[in-house]
Structures are given as C-alpha cells and as structure tokens.
Amino acid sequence: MTKLSEAQLKQHYDQAMKLQAAKQHKEALSHYEKMIAANPRIPEVHFQVARIFTEVGKPERALPHLQAAAALRPAEPAVWRLWAAAVALTAEPEAEATFLAALKLSTLPPAVKLRLQDRFTPGHAYVPSVPDEVRAEVRKIMPLMKAKRFTEAELMAASLLSRNPRCAAAVNLLATAQAKQGKIDAAVANYNKAAALDPEDAEPLNNLGQILIEAGRLPEALEAFRGAVVAAPCMVPALVHLALAMRRSEQVVAALPFALRAARLDPSDPMPLVILGNLYTLRRDFESAEAVLRKALAIAPDRADTQALMAQTLARLGVDQEAMTHFDRALQLQPDLPLAVGGKASLLQTLGRFEEAEPWFRRSLELDPANGETYRGFLVSHKVQPGDPVVDEMIARFNDPKTTDANRVGFGFGIAKALEDLKQYDQVFPYLRVANDLARKVNPYDVKVRHERVAALLRSMDSRDWPGEPVPGASGFGPIFVTGMPRSGTTLVEQIIASHSSVTGAGEMNIAAKLGAKLLAADRETLPLGDLAPGAIVRLGEDYLTQVRQRHPDAARVTDKSIQSYMYLGLLKLAMPKARFVVVRRDPRDNLLSIYKNKFTEGTHLYSNSLRDLGEYYRTFHEVIEFWRARVPDWFYEVQYEELVANPEAETRKLIAACGLDWEDACLNSHQNTRKVDTLSVFQVRQPISKASLNAWQRYESHLGEMFEALGDLLPEDTHAAR
C-alpha cells in the first residue's frame, strides 16, 4: 500500500474534484485510484468514483464503490440514492437484490429507506405531491387534452402554474400541451423544469425523451430516458423507450438489460419482446430472437412489425419458406411497412431471385427514401448504368444536413459502389472514407485487443503437442469448413463445394468458433488447450453436431463458411477428426480493399473501417495460419483465389479432391447453384467465375498508404512497380 500524508490525500482529492468538474474523468480517476490505494476507507472518494462511472454510462463499475461508501457511511442518503441510480441503470436482478438486501439493514431514516425501496417494487406508482385544490384544476385540464383542445389546455395549465409556480404536475401538463402543438423548445424547457421540481417523478423525463426523439435529438433523449429509469426502475414505458433509444444509437448490448427487465415486469406486453427480438437479431443470436418473437406473436398475432421481424429472423436461420410466409402476412396487415417490403426484397435477393427482388427494393426506396442502408442493400445486386437516377438521389441524401450519420454511412457505401460500376474511380474514395470514418466513430475498435487475443489463443493452442494423440470418442461428423479473411473468395469456394450432390451448403452458421471460445474461456483468461480433459473436447464436437442438426436435420455432409473457424482449426479437428478445412487466400491488397469497400452486419468486423487496422488484422490472420502450418500442415488445404479464377477447372478439381469428394461436373458450374447465399457476395457467386476483380487495388493505390505500412513485410513486392 502506498502511503500518503493527510496533506497529500487532500491535494489529490482537490485536484480530482477539479478534473471531475471539467469532465476530465480519466485524469480524475487516476487521482482517486491513488487515494484508494493509500487508504481504501475514505467514503467520499468511493462516492466520487461511483459518480464518474454512473455519469459515463458504466454503472456496473460504480456498484462496488457504492457498496464500500455505504458500509463506511451507512446513514448518508446521497450514497444510497446514487447506489439506487446505478442499480437502475444496470437493470440487473442480482445488482438489485444486493442493493435491496443492504438497504433493508441500513440505518437510513425510515421514510428515505421506504421511498428507495418503493422504486424497485413492481406495480408501485409514484404519486406526485399535489394539493387538493390544484388536483381539482388538473382534472379540468385532462378532458381538454383528450379532446385535442391543446391551445385551451395550454392556457389553463399556464394559469394554474402562475398561481402555483412550484407545482410539477402543472408544468408537466403545460409541457405536454405545448409538445402537442409543436412548440418543442418550450415543451423541452418545461419538462426539464417539472423534472427539477420533482426528481422522483419519472413521467416528465419519459415525456421529454419522446419529443426529443421526434426532434432528432437522440443524445438528449437518451439522457432523459436514463433519468426516467433512475426515478422509476419498474416503469415499463421508460425501460422500453430507453432500450429503443439505445438501439437507435447502436448501443445494442447496452440496450438488452432494459428490454429484458421490461419483459419480466410485464409479460403480457408484446413490445418489450419485439424489442428483444430486434436486439437479438442484431447480435446474430437468431435462436433467442425466434423464441421471444414467437412469444410476442402469441400475444399479438396481428402486429405487422412483429411478423416482419420474425420473417427476418427465420431467414437468418435458413427457414426461408416460413420466413416468406411471415413477410407476406406482415404485408397483408400493413402493405407499406418498410421493414416488410425491404425484408422481402432482401430475402429474394439472397435466394438469387434478383428480378423479383428489384421491384420490392424500388418500393422500399419510395417508402423510406432517407434510409441509406436500403439503397446500399439494393446496389449489392443492381449494376448501375449511366444515367441511373439512383446515383443523384444518393448523393443528394448524403449531402443533406438532415441525414443522420447512420444513414450517411449506407449512402456513402452505396455511392462508392455505384461510382465504381460507372468506372468513375477517382470519385470513389472520398465517399468511401467518410462512410468508414462515420462507422468507426459509432463502433470504435482497438486493434491491440485483437493482437492480444490472438497471442493468448496461440499460447493456449501451443500448450499441446501437435498433432498428438487422437481424442478417444471424438465425433464421426465430417463438416467441410471454408475459412479465411472476409471477401477473400470463401463464398465462391463454398458455392463450388456445395454444388456437389452429396453436400449441403450451410453458409455462415457461426457455431464452431463460439463453441471453441466458450470452451477455452475462464475469467477473462484463455485456458491452455493442453489442460482440457478429452471429454470436454468430445462434447464440443457433439454440441456442434446437435446445433447443425437443428438447422439441417437430413444433411449427410455440410459446408460451414464461418470464417473465424481458422482460429480454432486444431481444436475443431481434434473434436471432429473427419472434418476438412479449406483456407482461402487472396492478394491482401485486393482482399483488404474489398473489405474496406463493403459494409458488414452491424457490430461485426469492426477493424474493417480503418485501412491501418485492416493491415494489422491481416497480420494476425497470417500469424494464425502460419502457426497451424508449422504444426499440422496436412490438416488444411489452401486455395489461392487468383489461381482459382485463372484456372477454374484445374483448381476446382484439386479442391474437390481435397474435400474427399468424387468429381462432379456440377462443381464447374457453381453459379447455376440455386441455394441461398446470405453474404455480400450474393450477386457475384451467381455469375460465371471471372478475373474482373483481380488487381482492383491498383485503381486506388494512392489512397492505401496506411494499409501498405501496416502490412509491412506481407506486402507483395510488386506493389509500387504495378503502377
């Protein structure tokens, strides 16, 4: 323990408070941490640390400090109020139970204790303190609001407020009447005033958040909804609105606890379940999404949005016929629902039915012209021709100040693709860079974490002697894993293999890597593979087969194009000795440029938005493949994309043989395969194999300096000579 004198402690505290007031939280925490290291029994320090973590949206990190502060200062209401706020903002049952148990034993005044306890009592409704005479006048205003006579309601509420200037209920009514008339600034001011007059009333803050959302002021709306949840952690509408606002700001993981809490509090309300379904879908947890959406449909089968979300989820799970049925039901209920119109277009697109998809995409663009993602999705299978109005439409939206950053990302990628179709290569990169920079702003990425993860994984794998003894009882299932970097040609290679009559193309199942990561995970560390019991490895193979059978019950042999499987190649081979691994390689310049030009599913491939990170990430991919090459070189087969497209028949024959399959001519005509393809290559794999994408990097070499630097010695020697 570092010793500090009283004077030194005071100096740290004073400096920390100044930094905290200036919102320099990291610097303030540094001072507080030094104080805690020297003396962990200063309640004010724990309290201030908790304030910072709660304010910056990390309430879970505030909890231990609040628990410490409460133990040191058990009769201080401010500590318990902040603890209640942090618990409300975690929305976690365990945190709530811990708080309530400590609160029950606290020495707080009974009235304070009861009010804090009531916040977490389901069904408890906070009743603002309103004098009888004011209550009577409030009742006269309510019929005016219901009759939509908002001007009269505003006048009456203003009159009431002039006579009762500290009546929060009157201010809330006045703000609502003003909001209904479009007087947004006045309404915002008065909702804030009502919340300040009665901080325990969640209604003004919940109302405030809703009008801020409508006004496009999302960050302010988030703060309002957080305040409402703090005041009333069991108020389902506030929880729902906060989850929705977080979803809109792409805080998908953070939104989940609030939607889950709302669903627990009111199982009869379909809305929290619908939100959960959407959040699970965005996290690619389609099984959970399906489960909650089926519950929502059981409660309210005629909700068009729920039908459309179920269709979207089932399409991701490969249950395409049922998905189409749900899309059609949604369109029957609400013909102009963008989610259903655009969803049906996307499903038809993944099925290769491009001509059928186009009118649905066109209709979707008409219904939601400000949605950049719809344009981007449409252009995946639409080749722009000179004079196509879609280009000017996108550029106008991209340049419109009212366009949100999220939509500008979609438009940016769409414009770049359209300009490339038109061979206007010199105009592509400005849009591409803006789109990637905006996407990176929303989802920042630290490539150092990737390097650390790969290093930890390889240490784990190196704890075993390779190839070593087989694992007794390992699965006899033999999937064909197609793995490599995104946009390297993995979809094409899988399409070729899946064109064989004995193989079912399962696409990106995202099962194997998750099972491998789960098996090796322990308290933020990576377990040594050499320490795992053989039974655990056997169970991995069994669990993989179980999940595959849920999706493809009758398939004798499947391809699995989950690209992260190369990370766990050795472990998966131990669990399934009959598995085959095909690693697809492509010139890193073309490969990484192609990644940079495309937008991936939200929350995935976050390294893709930085040219430097792309180069660094490729280095880790190369490192892992070389690790396996040095230990088990005969456990995988490599396909070089450039060689495949230059000599399709010769390379395809070698590929099919490497998969342990007899030759079939259909494998040479993989573009005629009608199976579903749910990747960015959905259009390309329906075309005959072509060399058109080779050396595309040369068009943009002047923009790729950061990527080249990061690639370093992995950069092909002809890079600068190619110009």
Side-chain angles (χ1 to χ4, degrees):
M1 181 184 292
T2 305
K3 290 186 177 181
L4 295 174
S5 66
E6 288 295 321
Q8 288 173 318
L9 286 169
K10 185 178 185 307
Q11 185 178 9
H12 276 295
Y13 187 78
D14 290 345
Q15 186 63 28
M17 289 294 286
K18 290 178 183 177
L19 291 165
Q20 188 175 341
K23 305 292 185 185
Q24 295 178 307
H25 296 127
K26 184 177 179 181
E27 294 79 2
L29 284 171
S30 176
H31 286 279
Y32 288 136
E33 286 164 0
K34 289 174 182 176
M35 295 180 71
I36 292 172
N39 182 358
R41 297 187 56 79
I42 306 174
E44 292 87 351
V45 175
H46 287 289
F47 180 75
Q48 295 302 336
V49 169
R51 275 186 62 197
I52 289 176
F53 282 131
T54 304
E55 185 177 328
V56 300
K58 298 179 180 178
E60 68 286 349
R61 296 189 63 182
L63 296 177
H65 293 283
L66 287 162
Q67 200 164 358
L72 294 165
R73 195 70 60 82
E76 176 53 61
V79 172
W80 292 90
R81 290 192 184 101
L82 183 59
W83 192 354
V87 167
L89 292 173
T90 63
E92 294 291 349
E94 290 183 10
E96 181 182 329
T98 300
F99 169 73
L100 291 174
L103 181 64
K104 187 175 181 180
L105 300 173
S106 74
T107 57
L108 285 170
V112 175
K113 185 187 295 190
L114 184 61
R115 296 193 83 152
L116 287 173
Q117 181 179 293
D118 283 347
R119 285 194 197 180
F120 294 93
T121 303
H124 172 77
Y126 170 74
V127 179
S129 178
V130 181
D132 291 339
E133 63 277 12
V134 175
R135 187 174 292 111
E137 290 196 57
V138 165
R139 288 176 182 153
K140 294 178 183 178
I141 300 173
M142 296 308 296
L144 296 174
M145 298 288 285
K146 289 181 180 178
K148 299 184 179 181
R149 294 159 62 182
F150 302 124
T151 302
E152 296 173 63
E154 180 185 7
L155 291 171
M156 190 174 288
S159 174
L160 175 60
L161 185 61
S162 67
R163 287 175 277 114
N164 301 273
R166 298 198 60 77
C167 178
V171 184
N172 185 48
L173 276 173
L174 175 61
T176 301
Q178 291 168 331
K180 295 295 186 182
Q181 298 174 77
K183 300 178 180 180
I184 303 302
D185 290 340
V188 167
N190 281 315
Y191 278 135
N192 278 316
K193 181 178 178 181
L197 286 169
D198 192 349
E200 294 188 47
D201 187 1
E203 186 178 344
L205 288 169
N206 189 48
N207 292 340
L208 172 62
Q210 291 178 74
I211 66 164
L212 288 169
I213 284 282
E214 292 172 8
R217 294 159 65 175
L218 184 55
E220 295 172 75
L222 278 166
E223 286 307 305
F225 289 135
R226 284 192 184 99
V229 167
V230 166
C234 295
M235 183 178 177
V236 171
L239 292 164
V240 165
H241 289 142
L242 179 55
L244 281 171
M246 286 182 158
R247 158 66 187 94
R248 288 186 62 171
S249 62
E250 300 183 6
Q251 299 177 43
V252 174
V253 175
L256 270 170
F258 300 101
L260 283 166
R261 182 171 177 81
R264 288 194 300 268
L265 287 166
D266 190 356
S268 66
D269 185 350
M271 192 61 193
L273 297 170
V274 173
I275 297 167
L276 273 174
N278 186 216
L279 294 172
Y280 283 135
T281 298
L282 291 169
R283 292 194 66 194
R284 302 182 68 78
D285 183 356
F286 304 119
E287 290 82 2
S288 296
E290 180 188 5
V292 296
L293 289 171
R294 289 201 185 279
K295 290 180 182 178
L297 284 174
I299 298 168
D302 291 336
R303 283 189 60 130
D305 60 342
T306 314
Q307 291 282 355
L309 282 170
M310 175 59 87
Q312 191 179 71
T313 299
L314 292 171
R316 292 289 192 175
L317 288 169
V319 190
D320 300 323
Q321 187 172 348
E322 188 181 353
M324 195 66 79
T325 299
H326 282 282
F327 274 134
D328 289 339
R329 176 59 180 151
L331 291 163
Q332 184 183 33
L333 292 165
Q334 191 174 337
D336 290 340
L337 180 65
L339 180 63
V341 175
K344 182 167 183 173
S346 295
L347 178 54
L348 289 167
Q349 185 185 65
T350 63
L351 295 170
R353 293 156 62 178
F354 303 128
E355 290 185 8
E356 291 179 69
E358 179 144 346
W360 288 100
F361 271 120
R362 296 284 187 187
R363 179 64 180 141
S364 184
L365 299 180
E366 292 173 6
L367 291 170
D368 194 6
N371 190 330
E373 186 60 17
T374 304
Y375 278 87
R376 187 204 64 79
F378 169 49
L379 290 174
V380 167
S381 58
H382 175 75
K383 190 169 182 65
V384 175
Q385 301 296 330
D388 193 326
V390 74
V391 181
D392 289 338
E393 290 170 17
M394 289 192 296
I395 291 175
R397 292 284 181 182
F398 183 89
N399 292 328
D400 187 342
K402 296 179 183 177
T403 297
T404 65
D405 283 353
N407 282 316
R408 191 168 280 111
V409 169
F411 283 120
F413 281 110
I415 293 166
K417 193 270 183 183
L419 293 173
E420 192 162 65
D421 284 349
L422 297 172
K423 296 184 170 49
Q424 297 177 15
Y425 304 122
D426 59 325
Q427 299 180 44
V428 168
F429 239 79
Y431 292 102
L432 205 51
R433 191 174 290 278
V434 170
N436 276 287
D437 287 349
L438 288 173
R440 184 176 173 81
K441 180 181 175 182
V442 173
N443 290 300
Y445 179 78
D446 186 354
V447 75
K448 292 178 183 177
V449 175
R450 167 68 179 179
H451 281 290
E452 291 167 0
R453 180 190 171 200
V454 168
L457 182 67
L458 295 187
R459 284 196 300 272
S460 169
M461 296 297 173
D462 217 18
S463 65
R464 175 188 169 89
D465 291 331
W466 296 97
E469 294 297 319
V471 175
S475 172
F477 189 52
I480 301 171
F481 290 99
V482 180
T483 184
M485 288 287 291
R487 308 297 297 164
S488 63
T490 51
T491 301
L492 171 61
V493 169
E494 187 195 27
Q495 183 83 338
I496 291 171
I497 302 169
S499 297
H500 196 281
S501 62
S502 68
V503 178
T504 297
E508 296 186 30
M509 292 191 286
N510 296 304
I511 299 172
K514 285 183 180 179
L515 290 173
K518 183 178 179 181
L519 183 61
L520 296 176
D523 297 327
R524 299 183 182 181
E525 298 294 329
T526 302
L527 292 172
L529 175 61
D531 293 349
L532 287 183
I537 298 174
V538 170
R539 281 193 296 276
L540 186 155
E542 293 170 347
D543 291 344
Y544 177 85
L545 176 58
T546 298
Q547 293 189 46
V548 171
R549 283 286 174 254
Q550 289 172 354
R551 303 185 190 188
H552 303 280
D554 302 320
R557 196 85 183 269
V558 300
T559 54
D560 183 343
K561 197 193 78 72
S562 301
I563 56 176
Q564 285 291 318
S565 56
Y566 70 86
M567 297 277 286
Y568 301 91
L569 188 154
L571 172 59
L572 296 174
K573 184 73 171 176
L574 291 174
M576 295 174 282
K578 292 185 179 180
R580 304 284 178 128
F581 291 84
V582 178
V583 177
V584 185
R585 306 295 293 265
R586 184 181 181 187
D587 185 319
R589 298 165 297 187
D590 279 337
N591 193 170
L592 302 184
L593 173 62
S594 183
I595 295 174
Y596 192 71
K597 290 193 299 182
N598 283 277
K599 182 178 183 293
F600 293 86
T601 302
E602 201 65 52
T604 65
H605 304 294
L606 302 185
Y607 59 89
S608 66
N609 302 125
S610 160
L611 290 167
R612 186 172 295 280
D613 285 353
L614 278 164
E616 290 285 345
Y617 193 96
Y618 186 87
R619 295 187 71 83
T620 66
F621 163 73
H622 180 80
E623 181 182 7
V624 174
I625 299 303
E626 292 307 305
F627 176 92
W628 295 124
R629 190 193 311 283
R631 290 155 181 82
V632 285
D634 57 340
W635 282 15
F636 63 97
Y637 176 76
E638 285 184 276
V639 173
Q640 188 67 39
Y641 176 78
E642 288 77 11
E643 294 176 9
L644 175 62
V645 299
N647 302 290
E649 180 169 355
E651 295 301 318
T652 296
R653 285 184 178 276
K654 288 192 285 185
L655 168 63
I656 296 302
C659 294
L661 300 169
D662 294 330
W663 176 253
E664 290 183 356
D665 289 342
C667 297
L668 278 180
N669 298 299
S670 60
H671 59 287
Q672 296 175 1
N673 189 332
T674 58
R675 77 181 185 93
K676 180 180 179 181
V677 177
D678 193 8
T679 76
L680 291 167
S681 301
V682 61
F683 185 73
Q684 290 95 320
V685 297
R686 310 284 186 192
Q687 317 305 314
I689 292 177
S690 165
K691 302 177 186 177
S693 63
L694 298 184
N695 296 317
W697 65 271
Q698 294 177 8
R699 302 167 186 152
Y700 307 107
E701 182 175 2
S702 63
H703 299 280
L704 303 178
E706 289 180 300
M707 186 179 86
F708 292 164
E709 287 178 15
L711 283 170
D713 59 341
L714 299 182
L715 192 66
E717 294 181 0
D718 66 336
T719 298
H720 301 291
R723 281 199 273 184

